[in-house]
Amino acid sequence: MKKVYLILALLFATVSIIFTVLPMGTLAFMPIIPAIAFAILAMRNSDGRILHGSRLILFVSASMLLIVIGKELFVKDEVVADKQFEQKKVESEKEATNELESEGL
Amino acid sequence: MKKLILAVCFLVAFQSGFSQIKSGEKLVYAASYNMAGMMTQLAQVKLETNTVKTSKSNYLHLSCEAVTFSKWDSFFKIRDLYESYVNPLNLKPAMYKRDIDEGGFKKKEKYVFKGNTVAATIKKRNYPESQKNFSIGANTQDVVSILYKLRTINFAAYKPGQTVGFTIVFDAKEIPVVVKFMGKENVDAGNLGAKDCYKVSISAKTDALKGRDKNLIWLTADAAKIPALIRFSIPVGTGQLTLKTASGY
């Protein structure tokens, strides 16, 4: 049973790393929390490889949790200045004005 | 007699939607998408108005842009621009433009409204540009001008459940739209604070909108009727636009 918990913890921890890297925001909590839970379950009354493995997974999952919380608190959602897009907007308005003029509208 | 006629004209104009939309207005929203039950902020949506002049007319240029936040640009970059050039008094469109770039998928459309005919130019991906003319009704709006047209409705005089119909043109097709007033609710309106809003449901005979009373707009219950919150349900999922800042209204 402890092996099952360890495998589940590993699976969720892997997904949590992916979600943390991707800009999923607090959605990353969904795999992180089960990873921590299964790692703790695997750790209880374990020794040897299982204990070592579950501690490692717990450490990784907890790190992901801290990273996600840090990103939510300190990284603001913002739009990068896109010169190409700004230029496109200006040209589009110019083109439209010229066409309205030529259509006699 | 002159004053009476003038009063009647104003009354008719207000009932039929005399535009109070000002040039220089800027509304900024955060667009969120529902992922596994949690709203995740993806993009900024900006609605702006400005005046455009030709030798014959003045137009109100309505522009709607959607830009993904920088953290999403590496994964799925969106740069969408929707524009409408309308009569400033009655918001009747003269030209509509759509230029979208979503994760590499590009599409451009332009509709020139000439009376009851639309001359459409469409370019999708790397296919050659195609042109199409089609007829529309006298009061047909485009998808940008309809959002502003909604703001000219006198919802204060409406009862919950009361509806009003419009027709829009999208993807070179006319689509009937029904707007239903659902009452008033207090909603967070960004820099405007918590405001009483008219809650309005939008339904249309199109696959683009899903569900009943799932596509909702909350408009501030004042003269400006700023959209404070928009919730949508489309084939790829659900999401919302929350107002962050409003200025120039």
Side-chain angles (χ1 to χ4, degrees), chain A residues 22-24 26-27 77-80 82 85 88-89 92-93 95-97 99 101 103-105, chain B residues 35 38 41 44 50 52 54-56 59 61 65 69-72 75 79 83 85 97 99 110 114:
Chain A
L22 291 174
M24 293 293 196
T26 51
L27 200 63
D77 286 329
E78 53 188 22
V79 163
V80 73
D82 189 334
F85 186 59
K88 183 164 89 166
K89 281 159 55 181
S92 180
E93 185 176 324
E95 190 188 284
T97 310
E99 185 154 358
E101 185 74 63
E103 294 279 350
L105 294 171
Chain B
M35 292 187 189
M38 294 177 75
Q41 292 203 347
Q44 178 179 278
N50 64 290
V52 155
T54 64
S55 56
K56 272 195 172 178
Y59 292 97
H61 173 207
E65 65 178 66
F69 292 122
S70 55
K71 65 183 183 183
W72 281 101
F75 302 100
R79 296 289 187 271
E83 300 172 273
Y85 295 82
K97 294 179 81 175
D99 187 340
K110 181 175 66 184
K114 297 175 193 176

Side-chain angles (χ1 to χ4, degrees), chain B residues 100-112:
Chain B
I100 63 170
D101 185 349
E102 297 172 0
F105 173 78
K106 295 182 187 189
K107 186 172 181 178
K108 278 175 122 168
E109 277 183 316
K110 181 175 66 184
Y111 302 157
V112 178

Side-chain angles (χ1 to χ4, degrees), chain B residues 75-96:
Chain B
F75 302 100
F76 192 83
K77 186 174 172 179
I78 294 174
R79 296 289 187 271
D80 287 357
L81 181 63
Y82 289 77
E83 300 172 273
S84 184
Y85 295 82
V86 302
N87 179 313
L89 293 178
N90 58 19
L91 303 182
K92 191 171 164 63
M95 184 185 289
Y96 160 79

Side-chain angles (χ1 to χ4, degrees), chain A residues 7-26:
Chain A
I7 291 166
L8 285 169
L10 183 63
L11 278 169
F12 278 109
T14 308
V15 174
S16 72
I17 293 169
I18 295 166
F19 274 38
T20 304
V21 167
L22 291 174
M24 293 293 196
T26 51

Side-chain angles (χ1 to χ4, degrees), chain A residues 1 6 8 13-14 16 19 27 32 34 36 38 45 49 51 53 59 61-62 64-65 67 78 81 86 92 100:
Chain A
M1 198 63 193
L6 188 68
L8 285 169
T14 308
S16 72
F19 274 38
L27 200 63
I32 288 174
I36 291 173
F38 283 120
N45 300 322
R49 275 185 181 176
L51 180 64
F59 173 75
S61 305
M64 294 301 111
L65 183 67
I67 291 170
E78 53 188 22
E86 294 303 317
S92 180
L100 287 167

Side-chain angles (χ1 to χ4, degrees), chain A residues 40-87:
Chain A
I40 290 171
L41 282 169
M43 263 173 73
R44 288 167 77 188
N45 300 322
S46 296
D47 55 13
R49 275 185 181 176
I50 293 177
L51 180 64
H52 180 72
S54 53
R55 273 184 183 162
L56 184 63
I57 291 168
L58 187 63
F59 173 75
V60 167
S61 305
S63 304
M64 294 301 111
L65 183 67
L66 287 172
I67 291 170
V68 169
I69 292 169
K71 277 165 83 173
E72 284 305 299
L73 289 175
F74 301 114
V75 177
K76 298 290 169 206
D77 286 329
E78 53 188 22
V79 163
V80 73
D82 189 334
K83 281 186 185 165
Q84 212 172 5
F85 186 59
E86 294 303 317
Q87 187 59 29

Side-chain angles (χ1 to χ4, degrees), chain B:
Chain B
M1 188 63 185
K2 224 188 220 178
K3 279 186 184 171
L4 179 65
I5 291 168
L6 198 61
V8 168
C9 284
F10 268 110
L11 193 66
V12 168
F14 268 104
Q15 290 299 321
S16 62
F18 181 84
S19 167
Q20 70 269 31
I21 309 299
K22 289 183 187 166
S23 176
E25 183 186 89
K26 184 171 162 181
L27 309 176
V28 181
Y29 298 84
S32 306
Y33 186 68
N34 191 326
M35 292 187 189
M38 294 177 75
M39 284 290 175
T40 305
Q41 292 203 347
L42 289 180
Q44 178 179 278
V45 172
K46 204 162 41 169
L47 299 175
E48 289 182 281
T49 66
N50 64 290
T51 301
V52 155
K53 293 180 186 183
T54 64
S55 56
K56 272 195 172 178
S57 307
N58 283 357
Y59 292 97
L60 193 59
H61 173 207
L62 312 173
S63 91
C64 172
E65 65 178 66
V67 176
T68 34
F69 292 122
S70 55
K71 65 183 183 183
W72 281 101
D73 277 349
S74 312
F75 302 100
F76 192 83
K77 186 174 172 179
I78 294 174
R79 296 289 187 271
D80 287 357
L81 181 63
Y82 289 77
E83 300 172 273
S84 184
Y85 295 82
V86 302
N87 179 313
L89 293 178
N90 58 19
L91 303 182
K92 191 171 164 63
M95 184 185 289
Y96 160 79
K97 294 179 81 175
R98 176 187 181 196
D99 187 340
I100 63 170
D101 185 349
E102 297 172 0
F105 173 78
K106 295 182 187 189
K107 186 172 181 178
K108 278 175 122 168
E109 277 183 316
K110 181 175 66 184
Y111 302 157
V112 178
F113 295 76
K114 297 175 193 176
N116 291 351
T117 307
V118 170
T121 308
I122 299 155
K123 182 159 173 38
K124 200 167 155 180
R125 286 198 180 112
N126 295 324
Y127 297 114
E129 196 175 87
S130 63
Q131 271 151 2
K132 181 181 175 180
N133 286 355
F134 54 93
S135 299
I136 56 167
N139 298 314
T140 299
Q141 303 285 146
D142 58 62
V143 292
V144 178
S145 59
I146 187 67
L147 191 55
Y148 288 86
K149 191 75 178 174
L150 277 180
R151 294 170 58 188
T152 66
I153 299 172
N154 182 20
F155 288 113
Y158 275 51
K159 293 190 176 103
Q162 194 170 338
T163 61
V164 60
F166 291 95
T167 308
I168 61 166
V169 59
F170 188 67
D171 275 343
K173 285 190 300 286
E174 274 195 300
I175 301 166
V177 171
V178 174
V179 174
K180 181 168 76 176
F181 175 64
M182 297 178 73
K184 280 170 86 168
E185 282 183 10
N186 196 272
V187 162
D188 179 21
N191 68 323
L192 306 178
K195 298 275 274 181
D196 278 341
C197 292
Y198 301 120
K199 183 178 174 183
V200 163
S201 163
I202 313 289
S203 59
K205 282 186 183 168
T206 171
D207 291 337
L209 297 179
K210 291 281 174 199
R212 191 182 161 173
D213 294 339
K214 298 269 187 213
N215 294 280
L216 304 162
I217 302 179
W218 282 260
L219 300 165
T220 57
D222 53 31
K225 294 193 204 78
I226 305 289
L229 176 65
I230 300 170
R231 286 210 177 116
F232 57 86
S233 175
I234 54 178
V236 293
T238 59
Q240 65 186 30
L241 271 63
T242 45
L243 180 69
K244 293 297 179 190
T245 60
S247 60
Y249 55 90

